[in-house]
Amino acid sequence: VLCTYLGIYDTDFCGDIPYTEASQARYGGTLTPKYDAVKDLYDLFLADLDECIKIFTTATGQYALSTQDVVYAGDMKKWAKLANSLKLKIAARLIHQDFAKAKNIVAAVKSAPCGVMDGAADDFLFNKCATNTANSDYAYQTGNGLAAIYPSNRMIDFLVDNQDPRVRFIYRK
């Protein structure tokens, strides 16, 4: 679930990313993984989330994580709700590219017996890091919330022409 959560975040920020072949060199994979298309990753993320929900809601005899799970203290019902809710994040991103698919995802989420996050008790906060100074943002390496990235005019023109919202948050003039 956390890999999918971060994968959604990364594809929002970067678009296509190396994912399926990433970090596999140690296990005989490549040092130059292919870039996976966001559309393909959404399909993979949805399948992964469905599998997680199935495990969270049906597995028996599992070791209780309790204090080792700093997010939900081993409450698998909350993890299932988070996984189901992440499917809605994907549907929201697909609404203008594939409305029918987004609508089907929402219908599946709505009918899932595990439900969705619906209150403060189900809330999820994933803080990647808490150290932040005046000169550097160690958590996100973005310099206090704005990336120190100065793009070319061609890049900015492309983002603006395609109404990409990242242009307002990632780049500096």
Side-chain angles (χ1 to χ4, degrees):
V1 175
L2 292 178
C3 287
T4 297
Y5 172 79
L6 293 171
I8 293 169
Y9 173 82
D10 287 346
T11 56
D12 286 349
F13 189 78
C14 302
D16 297 348
I17 59 171
Y19 187 84
T20 56
E21 294 180 1
S23 302
Q24 296 299 313
R26 179 178 181 190
Y27 309 104
T30 180
L31 288 172
T32 55
K34 70 174 180 158
Y35 275 70
D36 296 297
V38 174
K39 178 187 174 297
D40 298 334
L41 287 173
Y42 285 167
D43 292 338
L44 177 63
F45 294 160
L46 290 167
D48 287 349
L49 291 170
D50 286 338
E51 181 66 20
C52 288
I53 291 167
K54 178 182 170 189
I55 291 168
F56 292 148
T57 57
T58 63
T60 59
Q62 299 296 310
Y63 179 76
L65 295 175
S66 63
T67 57
Q68 286 101 357
D69 177 1
V70 296
V71 179
Y72 290 129
D75 188 340
M76 293 298 115
K77 290 177 184 168
K78 289 184 180 180
W79 277 106
K81 284 183 175 186
L82 172 61
N84 206 31
S85 298
L86 285 176
K87 291 168 65 175
L88 289 175
K89 288 177 94 52
I90 294 170
R93 284 152 177 79
L94 289 172
I95 201 142
H96 294 294
Q97 287 78 30
D98 190 344
F99 182 76
K101 184 172 186 168
K103 191 174 172 182
N104 289 338
I105 293 168
V106 171
V109 167
K110 186 177 176 183
S111 67
C114 63
V116 294
M117 296 168 49
D118 62 356
D122 294 332
D123 202 4
F124 167 76
L125 175 64
F126 183 70
N127 188 2
K128 296 178 196 171
C129 184
T131 303
N132 196 5
T133 66
N135 297 325
S136 183
D137 178 356
Y138 297 111
Y140 303 105
Q141 299 295 314
T142 58
N144 293 328
L146 293 174
I149 299 173
Y150 301 95
S152 67
N153 285 339
R154 183 176 177 193
M155 176 70 169
I156 291 296
D157 290 344
F158 174 81
L159 294 172
V160 170
D161 289 346
N162 289 284
Q163 299 177 352
D164 193 312
R166 294 175 290 184
V167 73
R168 297 185 330 228
F169 306 108
I170 299 172
Y171 302 106
R172 289 187 182 171
K173 289 184 180 179

